[in-house]
Structures are given as C-alpha cells and as structure tokens.
Amino acid sequence: MPELPEVETVRRGLLKIAAGRKISGIDVYYGKTITNDVEKFRQALIGQTIVTVDRRGKYLLFRFTNDLTMVSHLRMEGKYFNQPIGGPIDKHTHVVFEFTDGSELCYHDTRKFGRMTLVKTGEEMTVGGLKTIGPEPTANDFTLPYFKAILAKSRGKIKPFLLNQRHVAGLGNIYADEVLWMSKVNPEQPANSLTDQQIRDLHDNIIKELARAIEYKGTTVHSFTNAFGDAGAFQNQLNAYGHAGDPCPRCGTKMVKIKVAQRGTTFCPHCQPLEND
DNA sequence: ATGTCTGTTATAAT
DNA sequence: GATTATAACAGACA
C-alpha cells in the first residue's frame, strides 16, 4: 500500500494505539514476516514497552525500552490495527503483539511482502534499504544542489530514478506520477536531460506534494487504511495516477497510460512531451 | 480460465 | 557502480 504520506499517517495512528503499551505476549502466524529468529524476537520484546514510533522514508521504527528498535516496512499491503486481546485473527494476520492493558496490535498483510527486523537502537541503518536510503523529502534534507548533482550523473529515465529510494526517500508509484505531471516532465525523460526549470519545479513539487498528502492523511486507491481503519482523503487530489483516459486537468488532452520500468505510468502527452535533443 | 493488474524492494543479472 | 529484470505473494478483474 503505502508511500511516505501513508506511512506517516500510520505512524501517527500507532502513537495513539501502541505507544506507551507494554508487551505481554507475541503470536507469530507467518514466520517470514520477521527476519530475526522468531523465538529470539519474541523473547527480546516480551516485557518491553513501546516508547514511541519514528519513521525514516517508508520505514517505521518502533522504539522499545531496553534500547531495542523494530524496523517495520509495510511494502504493498501491510497494515496495523488494534483490537481487544482474543479478537478475530484472519488468515492475513501474521503477527500479534498483546499488551498488558488488554488490547493487542495486529499486523495484517495480504501479500506477505512486509518485513520486521529487531536490532539494537542505533543499528537500524544496517537494515535493508536503510543502508542506502536518500534524504527525507524536506527542504532541509533534500536540497536543490544535491538534486541537480545526482540528476546530472544519471542516464536512466526520470521516473525509475525518482522511485529509487537512494536518491530521495518516500516517493512511490502514485506520487512519482503526480510530481512528474505537476512539473510537466515526461516519465521517460533521461534524468540528466531535464531543464533547470524542470529540476526546480520537480524539487519543489516533491517536497510540497508529499507534505500536502500527509495533511490529507494519505491516498486510498486500493486498500490503504490508517490504524483506525479509515481511508485517506488525498485520492480526490490526484491529477495523473488513476486518470488514464480522462482529460488532463490542465489542457484537456486525453491522459495516457504506459509501462515504465514495469510500473504503470499515467501522464499527459501534451503537457509532458518527451524532449529529444 | 488464464493473463493482467496492483501505494515495494531485495536480489540477481547485465 | 548504475541500471534492469525478476521474485516474493494474494486477490481482483476482464
């Protein structure tokens, strides 16, 4: 499901339904979700309290007492929700954290792509994609000179470039299409061939659009819900993603859907022409 | 039914 | 390295 705005929305929900709770038991129904030895994972966390939940890119960082951090990535369809201990466990609920207050936190993941990894706090940057993750998409961390410099070094198409989390953290398929549409950049344009204006617009739009989507509590197009089971509201703000065949909101030209790097990609052929020099 | 599609990324291959 | 294809998995849809 989630790109950065959805993960941030989940994080904020987790602060309310999980932070401050002490773990009394853990049930694991699908062991591959946990990359550690499952028994060691359980023994390390039972008795610990969730102090807070942080986020880096699309990764959630559960901070526990005893200097433990659980890195959790939801991949396509991971979800967290809470219920009273003993509530229904369906076939897609893979991990359940029981709390001493009588509630439990369930991890549900239809496609089973999501992963959790427990490390000592401070070692989270050794986990998976956090090893090479790029700057957060904020004005402070993601600077224009940095963006210019990495674009200049890449010969590949701009859309897969933006999806690569080592360049900038947080964009996924929806927001990549949105910021390219907003910036009038063709998704197949070579990264090192963008004009100065396009680079400035893209930089600006990445920062602003992700922040705006957080305000709307994320985008629900397929299955995303926050920790309370609510849909986001940003799907009504989308201009490109999901609008193939519709008129472009800017010029009225019929929007087109193609495949770029194996991902469905919607754009306006008039506003976002491929510039070949 | 069989093939195509899906908010991702680790891994292998080139 | 940088870039590209594939695998991991389940379900909805035509």
Side-chain angles (χ1 to χ4, degrees):
Chain A
M1 62 169 168
E3 304 178 40
L4 186 147
E6 292 76 37
V7 177
E8 176 61 19
T9 301
V10 169
R11 186 188 74 82
R12 292 177 184 187
L14 286 169
L15 292 181
K16 296 183 181 169
I17 66 170
R21 294 341 191 254
K22 181 176 179 179
I23 296 182
S24 56
I26 301 176
D27 296 325
V28 178
Y29 299 96
Y30 183 66
K32 279 179 75 175
T33 300
I34 293 161
T35 62
N36 310 77
D37 177 89
V38 171
E39 215 30 54
K40 285 180 184 162
F41 175 92
R42 291 181 70 251
Q43 292 316 315
L45 287 182
I46 290 172
Q48 303 305 318
T49 297
I50 300 175
V51 178
T52 192
V53 182
D54 295 327
R55 179 189 57 73
R56 178 75 170 89
K58 304 176 193 174
Y59 293 80
L60 291 164
L61 305 169
F62 288 72
R63 306 297 192 182
F64 289 91
T65 45
N66 220 16
D67 275 326
L68 294 169
T69 290
M70 185 181 83
V71 180
S72 169
H73 197 298
L74 307 171
R75 295 286 188 95
M76 293 292 268
E77 307 212 48
K79 291 179 190 19
Y80 283 104
F81 60 88
N82 70 338
Q83 63 182 13
I85 287 179
I89 304 296
D90 81 9
K91 66 177 190 173
H92 299 305
T93 298
H94 303 130
V95 183
V96 177
F97 301 89
E98 297 172 345
F99 298 132
T100 55
D101 72 351
S103 68
E104 64 186 15
L105 180 70
C106 299
Y107 177 73
H108 183 280
D109 187 347
T110 307
R111 290 176 74 181
K112 298 180 173 171
F113 287 168
R115 292 292 180 265
M116 300 173 188
T117 303
L118 187 64
V119 295
K120 288 187 66 170
T121 295
E123 292 177 0
E124 55 268 23
M125 34 334 166
T126 65
V127 176
L130 287 174
K131 284 194 282 258
T132 54
I133 196 166
E136 286 291 304
T138 58
N140 272 351
D141 293 346
F142 179 51
T143 67
L144 186 58
Y146 162 82
F147 192 40
K148 274 190 181 175
I150 59 171
L151 282 168
K153 286 189 286 190
S154 174
R155 180 91 202 92
K157 297 172 178 178
I158 185 63
K159 178 163 176 186
F161 178 94
L162 294 178
L163 292 176
N164 187 336
Q165 303 294 301
R166 64 176 65 204
H167 297 320
V168 57
L171 289 167
N173 207 36
I174 294 177
Y175 298 110
D177 277 5
E178 292 303 308
V179 298
L180 288 169
W181 179 87
M182 296 177 84
S183 310
K184 301 183 184 176
V185 177
N186 186 283
E188 299 192 285
Q189 194 71 34
N192 62 6
S193 74
L194 269 60
T195 65
D196 260 26
Q197 186 63 52
Q198 286 179 319
I199 294 173
R200 279 198 300 276
D201 286 348
L202 206 44
H203 176 256
D204 212 42
N205 286 327
I206 289 168
I207 293 170
K208 287 184 177 161
E209 193 69 350
L210 289 174
R212 210 163 70 85
I214 291 172
E215 290 177 26
Y216 280 77
K217 304 187 192 314
T219 297
T220 297
V221 297
H222 177 225
S223 65
F224 168 72
T225 56
N226 66 16
F228 306 105
D230 305 324
F234 200 73
Q235 57 277 14
N236 305 314
Q237 304 291 313
L238 299 178
N239 290 294
Y241 185 92
H243 289 281
D246 294 347
C248 170
R250 196 163 38 209
C251 75
T253 301
K254 198 178 198 184
M255 304 276 286
V256 168
K257 184 169 180 179
I258 61 172
K259 254 201 168 133
V260 180
Q262 288 80 241
R263 308 299 303 276
T265 299
T266 305
F267 72 105
C268 171
H270 179 256
C271 292
Q272 299 166 263
L274 187 58
E275 317 271 2
N276 39 12
D277 45 354

